[in-house]
C-alpha cells in the first residue's frame, strides 16, 4: 500500500463578517482534562463510499474544507494549542488570531473495501490514514485531520485529537456538527458549550490528579513538557479486526449472567456495557493464557456529565471522563470456568460504585489502584461507547461505511461503538498479533 500526500492545507476558523481575524481565546483545563495531558492522542478514521455522481476534487474536498472552516468558528479551541507557561499552575488551551487546523489530503492505492471491511487487516495500513499532532516542548496542537482518497472507491477522514481537548463524546459531537454543516449549511442544535465553570469539582483535585500525571510521565523532572510519548513501531504481524455482538447476542449474555450468578438480579447491573466488556475481558485474558495467579485489571472511562451535583450540559465540549479501574484480580478469576460471570460481577460492582461514590472518592481509588499495580499486570481497557452515534455523521454522501479507533493499537484495548445497521448491538475493534488474534476470535465466536 502506498500513500501520497497531495496537499496540506491550513484551515482557519471562519470569521464574522465584521472581523478579519479570529478572536483570541484562553481556555483553562478542568480536572477531567488534566488527567490526559501526557496521554497518547485519540485517533479515529471514518470511511465513506464514493459514487459516480460526486467528484472528490471538485465537490467533496472543497465542501469539506469550507464546512470545516465554518464549524471551527464554533469549536474554536480545536484551532489552538495546548500550553503550560512557567507562571501557571496548570496547562491551558490558547487560540491566537490566525490559528488553524492542519488538513492533509492524500491518495492511496489500497483496496478501499478491504480496509473498510471487518476482516483481518494489517494495522500499519490503517494507521497510515491518521495524521500526527504538531508538538514542541511548550506547545502542542490539539487537532489534526487527514482526508485520504481511494480513487473510484471512497475516501476516509482521519482524526487525531488530544484527549485533554475533548473526550470521545465531544469528538463525536464535533464530527457530527461538521457533517451536519457540510450537508445542510447549518450547525443545527449541536452548538458546543465551552464554559468550564460547569465542572463542579473541588479545586484541590487539580493538584491531586497532576500527581498521577507526574507518575506516568517518562521525564519526571520535566512535568511541563508537552511532548507526547513516542509512538513506537507497529509490528508487521499486528492485525485489526472488527467484531459484532448482535442484539440477540447481548440478550443471551445477559440471560447467561443472570442464570450463572449466585447473586440476585437486583444486585447486578446487567447493562450492554457490562456484559459486553465482561465477555471481551474474559476472552482476552484466556487468549494470553499463562499462570492463573498472574495479576490482571480492567479499565474504562466513566462519564461524569450527570454525576457532579448539578448536571453538565449535554453540549459540553471538553473532557468529562475519569478513568475507573477494576484492580487486584487474578487471571484465573476471569478466565476459568466461571470467568465470564465473575467478570460481570466485577464490572457490575465497579459501575454501581461510580453511581454511588463522589468524584473525590473515585479519584482516590483510581490513584491508589494505579500506583499499586504490580509489574507484569495485564491491563485490558475499553475506549468509546455504543452511545456516541458516530454512524450518524453524514456529510451529504451517505453515512459511514465503517468507523475505526486507530489508537487502540498501542495496548490491549478494545474499541466499542454502536452497530451501523442495528440498534441494540455493539461493534468491537481490536488489534493483536496474528497468532493471538486467531485464538481470540475462536474463543469469542465459540463462546456465544
Amino acid at each position: 500500500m502506498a500513500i501520497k500526500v497531495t496537499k496540506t492545507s491550513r484551515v482557519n476558523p471562519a470569521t464574522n463578517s465584521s472581523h478579519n481575524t479570529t478572536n483570541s481565546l484562553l481556555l483553562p483545563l478542568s480536572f477531567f482534562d488534566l488527567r490526559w495531558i501526557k496521554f497518547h492522542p485519540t485517533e479515529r478514521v471514518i470511511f465513506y463510499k464514493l459514487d459516480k455522481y460526486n467528484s472528490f476534487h471538485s465537490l467533496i474536498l472543497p465542501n469539506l474544507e469550507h464546512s470545516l472552516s465554518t464549524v471551527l468558528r464554533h469549536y474554536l479551541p480545536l484551532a489552538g494549542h495546548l500550553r503550560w507557561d512557567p507562571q501557571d499552575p496548570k496547562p491551558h488551551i490558547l487560540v491566537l488570531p490566525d490559528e488553524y487546523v492542519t488538513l492533509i489530503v492524500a491518495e492511496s492505492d489500497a483496496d478501499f473495501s478491504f480496509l473498510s471491511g471487518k476482516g483481518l487487516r494489517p494495522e500499519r495500513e490503517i494507521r497510515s490514514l491518521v495524521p500526527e499532532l504538531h508538538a514542541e516542548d511548550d506547545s502542542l496542537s490539539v487537532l489534526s485531520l487527514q482526508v485520504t482518497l481511494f480513487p473510484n472507491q471512497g475516501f476516509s477522514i482521519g482524526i487525531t485529537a488530544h484527549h485533554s481537548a475533548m473526550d470521545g463524546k465531544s469528538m463525536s459531537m464535533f464530527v457530527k456538527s461538521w457533517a451536519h454543516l457540510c450537508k445542510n449549511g447549518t450547525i443545527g442544535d449541536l452548538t458546543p458549550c465551552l464554559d468550564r465553570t460547569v465542572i463542579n469539582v473541588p479545586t484541590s483535585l487539580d493538584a491531586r490528579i497532576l500527581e498521577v500525571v507526574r507518575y506516568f510521565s517518562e521525564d519526571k523532572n520535566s512535568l511541563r513538557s508537552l511532548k507526547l510519548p513516542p509512538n513506537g513501531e507497529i509490528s508487521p504481524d499486528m492485525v485489526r479486526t472488527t467484531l459484532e455482538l448482535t442484539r440477540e447476542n447481548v440478550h443471551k449474555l445477559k440471560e447467561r449472567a443472570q442464570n450463572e450468578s449466585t447473586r440476585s438480579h437486583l444486585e447486578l447491573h446487567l447493562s450492554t456495557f457490562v456484559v459486553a466488556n465482561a465477555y471481551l475481558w474474559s476472552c482476552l485474558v484466556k487468549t494470553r493464557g499463562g499462570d492463573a495467579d498472574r495479576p490482571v485489571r480492567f479499565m474504562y472511562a466513566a462519564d461524569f456529565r450527570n454525576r457532579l451535583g448539578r448536571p453538565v450540559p449535554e453540549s459540553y465540549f471538553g473532557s468529562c471522563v475519569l478513568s475507573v479501574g477494576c484492580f487486584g484480580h487474578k487471571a484465573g478469576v476471569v478466565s476459568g470456568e466461571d470467568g465470564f460471570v465473575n467478570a460481570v460481577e466485577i464490572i457490575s460492582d465497579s459501575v454501581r460504585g461510580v453511581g454511588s461514590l463522589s468524584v473525590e472518592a473515585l479519584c482516590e481509588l483510581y490513584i491508589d489502584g494505579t500506583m499499586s499495580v504490580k509489574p507484569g499486570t495485564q491491563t485490558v481497557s475499553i475506549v468509546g461507547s455504543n452511545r456516541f452515534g458516530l454512524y450518524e455523521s453524514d456529510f451529504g454522501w451517505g453515512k459511514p461505511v465503517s468507523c475505526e479507533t486507530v489508537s487502540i493499537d498501542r495496548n490491549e484495548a478494545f474499541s466499542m461503538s454502536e452497530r451501523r445497521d442495528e440498534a441494540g448491538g455493539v461493534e468491537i475493534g481490536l488489534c493483536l498479533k496474528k497468532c493471538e488474534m486467531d485464538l481470540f476470535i475462536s474463543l469469542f465466536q465459540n463462546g456465544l
Side-chain angles (χ1 to χ4, degrees), residues 111-416:
D111 183 335
F112 175 84
S113 296
F114 171 64
L115 284 189
S116 62
K118 299 189 187 308
L120 298 185
R121 291 147 288 160
E123 181 58 15
R124 281 183 170 180
E125 296 191 15
I126 299 291
R127 173 152 288 284
S128 68
L129 303 177
V130 294
E132 294 184 352
L133 297 179
H134 177 69
E136 298 177 4
D137 266 340
D138 62 349
S139 178
L140 177 66
S141 61
V142 297
L143 178 69
S144 290
L145 299 167
Q146 178 176 322
V147 177
T148 304
L149 171 66
F150 300 79
N152 303 315
Q153 303 177 77
F155 67 95
S156 65
I157 300 177
I159 305 161
T160 301
H162 200 288
H163 207 318
S164 287
M166 54 180 172
D167 57 19
K169 183 172 183 176
S170 289
M171 177 186 278
S172 298
M173 184 172 70
F174 163 68
V175 175
K176 287 190 283 188
S177 298
W178 181 15
H180 191 279
L181 200 149
C182 186
K183 181 178 181 178
N184 302 293
T186 69
I187 200 172
D189 58 357
L190 296 168
T191 301
C193 168
L194 304 179
D195 183 5
R196 290 299 189 264
T197 64
V198 302
I199 301 298
N200 181 31
V201 300
T203 55
S204 59
L205 287 183
D206 286 2
R208 194 76 178 101
I209 204 68
L210 284 174
E211 293 178 24
V212 180
V213 173
R214 184 182 296 278
Y215 178 82
F216 279 114
S217 178
E218 293 187 2
D219 186 354
K220 301 290 192 291
N221 298 317
S222 184
L223 178 62
R224 290 172 180 266
S225 173
L226 297 174
K227 281 191 174 178
L228 295 170
N231 277 332
E233 284 293 317
I234 300 296
S235 172
D237 61 347
M238 181 74 75
V239 293
R240 169 181 294 267
T241 192
T242 303
L243 302 168
E244 292 182 313
L245 288 172
T246 65
R247 184 179 353 185
E248 182 181 0
N249 292 147
V250 171
H251 178 69
K252 288 182 177 179
L253 287 174
K254 290 179 181 180
E255 284 189 330
R256 178 180 162 192
Q258 194 168 332
N259 293 335
E260 294 181 7
S261 177
T262 57
R263 298 188 189 182
S264 154
H265 72 278
L266 298 175
E267 297 178 74
L268 292 176
H269 184 80
L270 293 181
S271 65
T272 298
F273 177 87
V274 168
V275 298
N277 282 296
Y279 187 65
L280 295 169
W281 185 23
S282 179
C283 287
L284 193 53
V285 174
K286 287 178 186 176
T287 300
R288 171 75 70 86
D291 187 353
D293 290 329
R294 64 186 178 84
V296 297
R297 64 172 175 161
F298 179 79
M299 302 293 299
Y300 64 96
D303 192 331
F304 276 78
R305 284 169 173 81
N306 292 315
R307 296 188 172 104
L308 297 178
R310 58 175 184 262
V312 175
E314 281 295 306
S315 60
Y316 177 77
F317 185 78
S319 189
C320 197
V321 296
L322 180 65
S323 290
V324 177
C326 302
F327 299 99
H329 300 285
K330 295 181 178 180
V333 172
V334 296
S335 64
E337 185 177 346
D338 298 323
F340 166 66
V341 71
N342 289 338
V344 167
E345 292 174 354
I346 290 167
I347 300 176
S348 171
D349 289 345
S350 176
V351 170
R352 283 187 177 274
V354 170
S356 61
L357 296 175
S358 67
V359 66
E360 297 98 316
L362 288 165
C363 180
E364 290 303 323
L365 284 173
Y366 168 67
I367 292 173
D368 292 344
T370 299
M371 294 187 173
S372 61
V373 170
K374 296 177 181 177
T377 296
Q378 181 184 7
T379 299
V380 176
S381 58
I382 186 75
V383 300
S385 168
N386 56 325
R387 298 181 178 180
F388 287 165
L390 206 52
Y391 278 111
E392 299 167 15
S393 307
D394 179 357
F395 284 81
W397 307 286
K399 67 180 182 179
V401 176
S402 67
C403 304
E404 299 282 356
T405 302
V406 181
S407 40
I408 61 170
D409 62 14
R410 295 194 177 93
N411 45 46
E412 286 185 294
F414 296 96
S415 65
M416 178 180 283

